[in-house]
């Protein structure tokens, strides 16, 4: 049986959300699968991946063939790096502790990069909000200025009308 690691589409139209599954190569895309090992949401920036790392590593080591997108996801999560490090341990190049240390260093740098992307996105969003707020304040000030001018013109007209008609006032006796 040829086993594949592939994506199974979920979500609504125009908003795809994927499950990462282990399936027989002959099964349809959204059909029967052997095991679900994670999810992939490309709608966030950066894309969100929730992966059962140990099961993914197991399936890669026993020979399951990932699709191109699944391979990219697994590489991004470090499954192929850990497979490579485990092969080095088996060959005697280094021990488990060194392999785990190398993987942890790689993962820390990856997390740092993802955090930088999220921070940059949040900063851009905040700047856009502040720019929009500044533009809205300018529009509101212009409207307030026009309203003040109209009120001043109405008050001036009333004052002028009041000064012109003192003789029309009824005499009190």
């Amino acid at each position: 049986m040829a086993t594949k690691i592939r994506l199974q589409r979920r979500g609504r139209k125009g908003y795809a959300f994927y499950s990462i599954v282990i399936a027989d190569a002959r099964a349809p895309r959204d059909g029967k699968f052997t095991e679900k090992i994670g999810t992939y949401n490309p709608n966030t920036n950066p894309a969100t991946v929730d992966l059962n790392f140990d099961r993914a590593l197991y399936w890669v080591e026993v020979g399951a063939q990932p699709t191109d997108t699944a391979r990219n996801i697994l590489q991004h999560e470090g499954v192929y790096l850990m497979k490579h490090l485990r092969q080095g341990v088996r060959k005697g190049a280094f021990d488990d502790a060194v392999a785990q240390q190398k993987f942890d260093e790689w993962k820390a740098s990856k997390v740092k990069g993802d955090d930088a992307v999220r921070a940059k996105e949040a900063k851009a969003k905040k700047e856009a909000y502040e720019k929009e707020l500044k533009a809205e304040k300018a529009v509101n000030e212009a409207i307030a200025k026009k309203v003040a001018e109209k009120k001043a013109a109405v008050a001036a007209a009333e004052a002028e009308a009041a000064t012109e008609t003192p003789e029309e006032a009824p005499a009190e006796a």
Side-chain angles (χ1 to χ4, degrees):
M1 175 173 97
T3 307
K4 289 272 203 191
I5 302 174
R6 62 182 179 200
L7 302 179
Q8 190 176 54
R9 193 179 195 284
R10 301 276 186 227
R12 67 176 190 264
K13 184 169 123 182
Y15 195 84
F17 185 86
Y18 299 93
S19 295
I20 304 169
V21 298
I22 309 300
D24 186 345
R26 297 167 293 187
R29 179 192 73 182
D30 297 335
K32 186 176 178 182
F33 59 89
T34 307
E35 181 180 353
K36 179 180 174 183
I37 60 171
T39 59
Y40 168 62
N41 184 2
N43 301 308
T44 60
N45 187 16
T48 306
V49 176
D50 180 29
L51 184 69
N52 184 339
F53 188 85
D54 295 330
R55 293 305 294 167
L57 183 60
Y58 166 78
W59 282 105
V60 168
E61 286 181 337
V62 296
Q65 293 298 310
T67 61
D68 292 338
T69 306
R71 182 180 300 111
N72 288 337
I73 291 169
L74 295 175
Q75 286 174 344
H76 184 267
E77 292 298 307
V79 173
Y80 277 96
L81 176 64
M82 183 55 90
K83 178 185 175 191
H84 175 73
L85 291 172
R86 280 189 171 183
Q87 286 175 347
V89 169
R90 271 184 244 137
K91 290 180 180 179
F94 42 83
D95 62 350
D96 283 329
V98 174
Q100 189 62 41
Q101 179 186 3
K102 287 182 179 184
F103 180 77
D104 291 341
E105 289 171 1
W106 175 84
K107 193 69 170 176
S109 68
K110 195 66 145 169
V111 167
K112 185 178 177 183
D114 286 349
D115 289 344
V117 168
R118 285 187 183 96
K120 183 178 177 183
E121 186 74 22
K123 182 180 176 184
K125 190 175 183 180
K126 183 178 178 183
E127 288 175 355
Y129 173 75
E130 289 174 354
K131 183 178 178 183
E132 188 177 309
L133 184 63
K134 187 176 179 181
E136 187 175 336
K137 283 183 180 181
V139 168
N140 288 344
E141 287 173 4
I143 291 172
K145 187 176 179 181
K146 286 181 182 179
V147 168
E149 289 173 358
K150 283 185 179 181
K151 284 184 179 181
V154 168
E158 287 178 0
E160 186 178 310
T163 57
E164 288 181 0
T165 57
E167 65 272 351
E168 294 178 12
E172 293 182 35

